[in-house]
Amino acid sequence: MFTYLLPHVEVLDDDALATIDRGWRRLLAEIGVSFDHPEALRLLRAAGQHVEGDVVRLDPEFVLAQAALAPSSFTLQARNPAHDIVIGGDQAAFLPAQGAPFVRRGGARRDGTLADFADLVRIAQHLDDIDSPGGLPCEPNDRPLDSRHLDMTSALLKLSDKPIMGGQISGDAARDSIALARIALGARFADGASLFAVINVNSPLHFDGRMLEALLAHAEAGSAIVVTPFLLMGAMAPVTIPAALVQQTAEALAGIALVQLVRPGCPVVMGSFLSNTDMKTGSPGFGGPESAIGLLASGQIARRLRLPWRSGGGALTTSLVADAQAAYEGTVTMTAALQAGANMVMHTAGWLEGGLTTGFEKLVVDIDILRTLRAVLTPLVVDEASLAFDAHDEVRQGGHFLGAAHTLTRFRDCFYRPLLATTENFERWTRNGARDASERATGIVDGWLAAYEEPPLDAGIRAELDEYVVRRRRELGD
Amino acid sequence: MFTYLLPHVEVLDDDALATIDRGWRRLLAEIGVSFDHPEALRLLRAAGQHVEGDVVRLDPEFVLAQAALAPSSFTLQARNPAHDIVIGGDQAAFLPAQGAPFVRRGGARRDGTLADFADLVRIAQHLDDIDSPGGLPCEPNDRPLDSRHLDMTSALLKLSDKPIMGGQISGDAARDSIALARIALGARFADGASLFAVINVNSPLHFDGRMLEALLAHAEAGSAIVVTPFLLMGAMAPVTIPAALVQQTAEALAGIALVQLVRPGCPVVMGSFLSNTDMKTGSPGFGGPESAIGLLASGQIARRLRLPWRSGGGALTTSLVADAQAAYEGTVTMTAALQAGANMVMHTAGWLEGGLTTGFEKLVVDIDILRTLRAVLTPLVVDEASLAFDAHDEVRQGGHFLGAAHTLTRFRDCFYRPLLATTENFERWTRNGARDASERATGIVDGWLAAYEEPPLDAGIRAELDEYVVRRRRELGD
């Protein structure tokens, strides 16, 4: 895991924070949030909130009191305890891109398959930079829709021993993933959060029935709930960043308050995913300055609320391929997420095409970006020894440091060693095929997959997982 | 020009700054700096510094007192007073890549020519993002070496009316550029700095004769002198960043002290260019985390010394083409330069291949990066109106903001509009030729050149410039 040791970058002053605070309070109290689920409405009504149809107007003080029941940081358990991670505080966890129906691999774009899904889980398991494979690194389109979640959770638990995301597109998916995680983690399951679920708000100000079904199931099981407003300004939010921040805070807190009614103390994460519509075309835009500013502000708001925070991005981009656009848009949002102090960075690596595609080559690009930024955010040690006066005394005016004693004792690890970036000169680069970064990345993916080792899994547990999947697949009619 | 309104990002605490302060003092006092020029040595000896051969050991207090003679900010005059720029304080000026022998344009790399040089000057003149074309956006290899500087300064003064860099590879080049600028600016020339010169140190701790000849000529004429240590750690500096920072500060201050002996109060800029050697291959590396950390620290050191600061980068990269590597390395150094508060950002756009190539397509990529980062660094206005409560009141739960009154009055300019980045969906992008960012950039370059307008120039001045060039070319034997 990565620990933040430098001060975060902040863009809001106290006045701005107070104005945003007034804004979300008014939104919850006067406009309210709709919940498309009777149990959610029942819980909120019983807690004294004003329910009219499916619209609930919430008391801001109640919402804050509920949010205060959640831990400001918690451990997310992995099948292998050595891979447990901490969500919150000064810690950052990194997850690959999630949710894409397509993959781009070796120059071609096509429907994702379970084989792609498995390879992405293997890569997430292999890389120390990645703390969790998440739950949906791409959509396995070749599997039947009703039971696809079984293939996914089972593959996640077998191919990786890092913490995973549970099913969340329905109550069935949620409950099945909980059952499978319970088998895999055994007695440890009950010790804390053993799954997490990302519950997207159907913004503006609406939670749909299937998401609420998953929220309720996961909250009952004590999974960590990442309540994430998905805001494209101009579509699901107004076109001013402060308005989107107010809406994001109101929606996230409404969901978090509900989680705490189901299970007081349940770990939650304040989610954010704030970008904008391209107003010329109506298409979604990702990776621009609005996302970056939104991230920096969101981090401040989450810290003020003492809640762990998931950043929307990651290395976001609307680019179709792992080109210059993909890299600069991705670097801009990733830098903002890290400088804002994100605790859980989803879509760290592989995101393309506004999230429609997981790119294997883009994943390599993004890992090099992540490693570079982690190095930038590592405090510089400045002491007398670091000044290397002896080296200057040895080399003097007009000399060269390559052979200096100071260099010779440090040359192996004195600088960051890039994963993908080349320092080849033009002649050597041309001789080696004149390949750009995206072309070179394919070989790195192959190397990772070759180096991957499947983590050990007790044969009894494996059989139990398989039995569960076979039985449930039959019950679901696939 | 861009004005910094947000706090700078700082990575050094007071202890670290004090340690670095002790370091450069010791380096100047105990090791010293060599100056390969009798006039420089005479001036320093006369000022009471300890000269032994060509090595001068400098009293740190003397050096600081000399540096204090320089203005903390100054105006750099342009041929067109509307294009004067301020160097220092909270201002940032942006210049394209400088010094490359090669150009890459439309997919091919070749020797730069005067035609390429002229096109790059036209682009710098056309773009509001760029405050000065500099002086050497590429090397015009098709012109005779001895009189090439005449072609360059003359093209700069005719094709642009923004501030320019003078000749600096020799005393002749410096004096000719001063004479030409004097013709172009007329009586205004004497009002302040009407040229700037980048004087690179031959690090470690050495100023060579030709650079000193140019420094002396420009200082006498009152040009702004940008004293720039060029440090690749592992080659011209030790392999620890603090040691490089100490060396950079010592070298820059030594040059600045000399400038102030020539002409007290002469405008100067503290230069920095700090990167590292790839220790596996011995090749220079650019755009990695060490450059970014070095930039953030350098900004702090320059502010402490109350000197305007030129950042080394810019959008640096070792990539050969405008690919993902070029974009993420460039974004990382450009972000650091801006967050560090650089007053003069050289190599803002077009840098490729460790500076060996100016890429026309890379220039487009970098301008989109620059515009994005400028937007990120623009303070967010958070007031009641920005919260758009009325829009929420209109749209309510589960609605859509595209048609909301709040959106309709703001949609034209509510978000950053990318220059190069596309939000096309896969089908449209494929129909449009499936072109990556680098391929799309070529058309943008063509558009800029088509839109370029040559700034007016008095016919008498033009004739005088031409006469000077013809006479001097004859004298130089070309």
Side-chain angles (χ1 to χ4, degrees):
Chain A
M1 296 206 70
F2 179 74
T3 304
Y4 295 108
L5 296 172
L6 290 173
H8 303 304
V9 171
E10 308 210 312
V11 294
L12 302 176
D13 59 20
D14 287 344
D15 278 355
L17 282 164
T19 304
I20 287 169
D21 196 56
R22 283 195 302 276
W24 69 256
R25 285 168 178 264
R26 187 175 180 200
L27 210 52
L28 286 184
E30 297 184 24
I31 309 277
V33 176
S34 60
F35 293 85
D36 184 18
H37 197 288
E39 174 65 5
L41 292 169
R42 190 192 66 75
L43 285 164
L44 288 161
R45 187 184 290 111
Q49 303 309 295
H50 184 279
V51 181
E52 208 175 306
D54 62 355
V55 173
V56 185
R57 283 189 277 135
L58 293 127
D59 170 10
E61 297 307 324
F62 160 76
V63 164
L64 285 179
Q66 289 295 106
L69 298 174
S72 61
S73 109
F74 61 90
T75 297
L76 186 60
Q77 300 195 120
R79 174 158 80 73
N80 174 358
H83 286 156
D84 285 359
I85 60 180
V86 173
I87 305 289
D90 287 334
Q91 300 298 115
F94 299 99
L95 294 79
Q98 301 288 310
F102 304 106
V103 294
R104 179 174 281 275
R105 196 170 179 177
R109 175 195 190 261
R110 54 175 171 71
D111 285 355
T113 63
L114 188 59
D116 296 314
F117 180 103
D119 276 349
L120 290 165
V121 174
R122 290 184 183 105
I123 290 170
Q125 171 70 14
H126 172 68
L127 290 174
D128 288 340
D129 315 84
I130 296 293
D131 298 290
S132 157
L136 187 49
C138 74
E139 191 72 48
N141 295 286
D142 53 343
R143 302 301 302 160
L145 201 56
D146 283 342
S147 62
R148 190 177 287 175
H149 62 277
L150 296 167
D151 299 301
M152 289 157 55
T153 307
S154 152
L156 286 162
L157 287 168
K158 289 175 180 172
L159 299 174
S160 173
D161 62 4
K162 296 183 178 178
I164 65 163
M165 182 163 91
Q168 59 206 24
I169 57 155
S170 67
D172 269 350
R175 283 182 290 271
D176 282 332
S177 68
I178 292 163
L180 287 165
R182 213 185 283 272
I183 294 169
L185 274 83
R188 289 188 74 235
F189 182 89
D191 293 350
S194 298
L195 285 173
F196 69 95
V198 176
I199 302 300
N200 283 337
V201 186
N202 281 58
S203 307
L205 303 169
H206 179 69
F207 286 80
D208 80 12
R210 297 211 313 171
M211 277 283 137
L212 284 170
E213 191 77 23
L215 178 150
L216 295 167
H218 275 295
E220 277 160 26
S223 302
I225 316 281
V226 187
V227 183
T228 307
F230 182 85
L231 303 185
L232 288 178
M233 293 182 284
M236 304 85 133
V239 295
T240 43
I241 297 173
L245 292 169
V246 159
Q247 180 183 340
Q248 173 180 286
T249 309
E251 291 178 351
L253 285 176
I256 287 168
L258 174 62
V259 171
Q260 300 304 318
L261 287 177
V262 179
R263 183 179 174 122
C266 186
V268 296
V269 177
M270 183 156 184
S272 70
F273 198 107
L274 200 170
S275 196
N276 59 281
T277 307
D278 177 338
M279 301 306 278
K280 268 200 305 201
T281 63
S283 304
F286 297 96
E290 291 79 13
S291 281
I293 295 167
L295 284 164
L296 293 167
S298 298
Q300 285 186 260
I301 294 168
R303 274 193 294 284
R304 193 175 157 101
L305 293 166
R306 306 176 62 86
L307 289 167
W309 171 53
R310 173 220 152 167
S311 62
L316 304 191
T317 181
T318 47
S319 183
L320 295 296
V321 289
D323 64 351
Q325 175 186 344
Y328 66 79
E329 291 187 329
T331 306
V332 166
T333 42
M334 194 68 206
T335 302
L338 288 177
Q339 291 193 327
N343 301 118
M344 189 173 191
V345 183
M346 201 95 90
H347 314 308
T348 295
W351 168 289
L352 277 179
E353 229 187 300
L356 285 178
T357 294
T358 298
F360 280 72
E361 285 74 20
K362 173 68 162 30
L363 202 152
V364 178
V365 167
D366 292 338
I367 294 294
D368 211 6
I369 293 171
L370 174 64
R371 290 182 183 173
T372 301
L373 294 176
R374 284 170 73 139
V376 173
L377 291 182
T378 299
L380 182 65
V381 176
V382 181
D383 55 17
E384 281 302 319
S386 72
L387 303 189
F389 183 81
D390 288 351
H392 278 292
D393 202 21
E394 176 186 348
V395 171
R396 298 263 154 174
Q397 294 81 12
H400 204 287
F401 287 87
L402 201 56
H406 180 265
T407 304
L408 294 176
T409 57
R410 284 166 182 79
F411 76 95
R412 274 178 221 283
D413 55 5
C414 53
F415 304 131
Y416 173 65
R417 296 211 162 174
L419 168 67
L420 173 65
T422 182
T423 61
E424 285 176 332
N425 64 27
F426 180 73
E427 289 68 28
R428 176 183 289 269
W429 177 77
T430 303
R431 226 165 32 237
N432 286 341
R435 294 177 307 153
D436 70 13
S438 180
E439 292 168 308
R440 296 195 304 273
T442 305
I444 294 174
V445 169
D446 295 343
W448 286 342
L449 288 170
Y452 164 79
E453 291 178 31
E454 192 168 311
L457 178 63
D458 176 87
I461 291 175
R462 180 181 296 268
E464 214 179 322
L465 290 172
D466 288 341
E467 279 159 35
Y468 185 92
V469 168
V470 168
R471 174 171 66 78
R472 283 291 294 150
R473 200 191 308 278
R474 200 181 317 120
E475 289 170 10
L476 292 164
D478 282 332
Chain B
M1 297 206 70
F2 180 73
T3 304
Y4 295 108
L5 296 172
L6 290 174
H8 304 304
V9 171
E10 308 210 312
V11 294
L12 302 176
D13 60 19
D14 287 346
D15 278 356
L17 281 164
T19 304
I20 287 170
D21 197 57
R22 283 196 301 278
W24 69 255
R25 286 167 178 264
R26 187 175 181 201
L27 210 52
L28 285 183
E30 298 185 25
I31 308 277
V33 177
S34 60
F35 292 84
D36 184 19
H37 196 289
E39 175 63 6
L41 293 169
R42 190 193 66 76
L43 285 164
L44 289 160
R45 187 183 291 110
Q49 303 309 296
H50 184 279
V51 181
E52 208 175 307
D54 61 357
V55 174
V56 184
R57 283 189 277 133
L58 292 127
D59 171 9
E61 296 306 325
F62 159 76
V63 164
L64 285 178
Q66 289 295 106
L69 298 175
S72 62
S73 113
F74 63 89
T75 297
L76 187 60
Q77 301 195 117
R79 173 158 79 73
N80 175 356
H83 286 156
D84 285 0
I85 59 179
V86 174
I87 305 289
D90 287 335
Q91 300 297 116
F94 299 98
L95 293 80
Q98 301 289 310
F102 304 106
V103 294
R104 178 174 282 276
R105 196 170 180 177
R109 176 194 189 262
R110 54 175 171 70
D111 285 355
T113 64
L114 187 59
D116 296 313
F117 181 103
D119 276 348
L120 290 164
V121 174
R122 290 185 184 105
I123 290 170
Q125 171 70 14
H126 173 68
L127 290 174
D128 288 341
D129 315 85
I130 295 293
D131 298 290
S132 156
L136 187 49
C138 76
E139 191 72 49
N141 294 288
D142 53 345
R143 302 301 302 159
L145 201 56
D146 282 342
S147 61
R148 189 177 287 175
H149 63 276
L150 296 167
D151 299 302
M152 290 158 55
T153 306
S154 151
L156 286 162
L157 287 169
K158 289 175 180 172
L159 299 175
S160 173
D161 61 4
K162 296 182 178 178
I164 64 164
M165 181 163 92
Q168 60 207 23
I169 57 155
S170 67
D172 270 348
R175 283 182 291 269
D176 283 332
S177 67
I178 292 164
L180 287 165
R182 212 185 284 272
I183 294 168
L185 274 84
R188 290 188 73 234
F189 183 88
D191 292 350
S194 298
L195 285 173
F196 70 94
V198 176
I199 303 299
N200 283 338
V201 186
N202 280 58
S203 306
L205 301 170
H206 179 69
F207 285 80
D208 80 12
R210 297 210 312 170
M211 278 283 137
L212 284 171
E213 191 76 22
L215 178 150
L216 295 168
H218 275 296
E220 278 160 25
S223 302
I225 316 282
V226 186
V227 182
T228 307
F230 181 86
L231 304 184
L232 288 177
M233 292 182 284
M236 304 84 134
V239 295
T240 43
I241 296 174
L245 292 169
V246 159
Q247 180 183 338
Q248 173 180 287
T249 309
E251 292 178 350
L253 285 177
I256 287 168
L258 175 61
V259 170
Q260 299 304 317
L261 286 178
V262 179
R263 183 179 174 122
C266 186
V268 296
V269 177
M270 182 155 185
S272 69
F273 199 108
L274 199 169
S275 196
N276 60 282
T277 308
D278 176 339
M279 302 305 280
K280 268 200 305 201
T281 62
S283 305
F286 297 96
E290 292 80 12
S291 281
I293 296 167
L295 283 165
L296 294 167
S298 298
Q300 286 187 258
I301 295 168
R303 275 194 293 285
R304 194 175 156 99
L305 293 166
R306 307 175 62 87
L307 289 167
W309 171 53
R310 173 219 152 170
S311 62
L316 304 190
T317 181
T318 47
S319 183
L320 296 295
V321 289
D323 64 352
Q325 175 186 343
Y328 66 80
E329 290 187 329
T331 307
V332 167
T333 42
M334 193 67 206
T335 302
L338 288 178
Q339 292 193 326
N343 300 119
M344 190 174 190
V345 183
M346 201 95 90
H347 313 308
T348 296
W351 168 290
L352 277 179
E353 228 188 300
L356 285 178
T357 293
T358 297
F360 280 71
E361 285 73 21
K362 173 70 162 29
L363 201 153
V364 178
V365 167
D366 292 338
I367 293 293
D368 212 8
I369 293 171
L370 173 64
R371 290 183 183 173
T372 301
L373 294 176
R374 284 170 72 139
V376 173
L377 291 183
T378 300
L380 182 64
V381 176
V382 181
D383 55 18
E384 280 302 319
S386 72
L387 303 188
F389 183 80
D390 288 351
H392 279 293
D393 202 22
E394 177 186 347
V395 171
R396 299 264 153 173
Q397 295 81 12
H400 204 287
F401 288 87
L402 201 56
H406 181 264
T407 304
L408 294 176
T409 58
R410 283 167 182 79
F411 75 97
R412 276 178 220 283
D413 54 6
C414 54
F415 303 132
Y416 172 65
R417 296 209 162 175
L419 168 68
L420 173 65
T422 182
T423 62
E424 286 176 332
N425 65 27
F426 180 73
E427 289 68 29
R428 176 182 290 268
W429 177 77
T430 303
R431 228 168 28 239
N432 286 340
R435 294 177 307 154
D436 70 13
S438 179
E439 292 167 309
R440 294 195 306 273
T442 305
I444 294 174
V445 169
D446 295 343
W448 286 343
L449 289 171
Y452 165 79
E453 291 178 32
E454 193 168 310
L457 178 63
D458 175 89
I461 292 174
R462 180 181 298 268
E464 213 180 325
L465 290 173
D466 287 340
E467 278 160 35
Y468 184 94
V469 168
V470 168
R471 175 172 64 78
R472 283 291 294 150
R473 198 190 310 278
R474 200 181 316 119
E475 289 170 12
L476 291 165
D478 280 332

